[in-house]
Amino acid sequence: MKRWIAAWLAGALFGAGLALSRMTDPNVVLGFLDVTGDFDPRLAFVLFGAVATTLIAFRLVLRRPRPVLAERFQLPLSQAIDRPLVTGALLFGVGWGLAGYCPGPALVGAAAGVDTALAFVAAMIAGSLLQAMTARRGPA
């Protein structure tokens, strides 16, 4: 039960941060990505704040023998930069650039009933299902 409460609180805090920074508004995100046009630098502060927080927090947290609410840390085993990673990153970036949404802000927007976010989440679920079906078939 403690893990569910901690997950809910972390998700609520994350969603509030996304809303406060206006990352749930695709026009703000697209303005940030438009470096040659009507560039809006405000999200750079969000980006730098997130990176700084992560750099500090990860160093502190990983000094612990184990997480507070789990038996062990679950860290990625592979550090390989392979085709699936690069392809996924490219698709993510293109989707973010075209729609102005990434999964977190889209879920916040969908929970608020924003029609573009609902469409994005539906497409995201379809893409996830397609990936799962493709992965089950194995490499081509």
Side-chain angles (χ1 to χ4, degrees):
M1 185 65 159
K2 288 180 185 179
R3 287 177 26 176
W4 282 96
I5 293 169
W8 188 89
L9 289 173
L13 179 63
F14 183 68
L18 291 174
L20 183 65
S21 66
R22 298 192 57 216
M23 282 190 70
T24 57
D25 181 349
N27 295 316
V28 171
V29 173
L30 293 172
F32 172 69
L33 296 174
D34 188 6
V35 294
T36 61
D38 191 21
F39 179 64
D40 181 353
R42 291 179 291 177
L43 288 184
F45 294 104
V46 175
L47 174 65
F48 293 133
V51 169
T53 301
T54 300
L55 286 174
I56 294 166
F58 266 57
R59 290 178 190 266
L60 295 174
V61 168
L62 292 177
R63 286 184 184 163
R64 299 180 55 85
R66 68 180 194 82
V68 175
L69 298 175
E71 294 300 316
R72 61 183 173 83
F73 288 106
Q74 296 183 22
L75 301 172
L77 300 176
S78 174
Q79 294 184 349
I81 298 175
D82 55 7
R83 182 180 298 163
L85 177 66
V86 172
T87 303
L90 286 170
L91 287 171
F92 178 90
V94 168
W96 192 39
L98 290 173
Y101 281 120
C102 63
L107 291 172
V108 173
V114 177
D115 58 346
T116 55
L118 289 166
F120 182 91
V121 169
M124 183 174 68
I125 291 169
S128 296
L129 293 172
L130 179 63
Q131 188 281 332
M133 290 186 312
T134 304
R136 265 189 247 127
R137 281 193 278 163

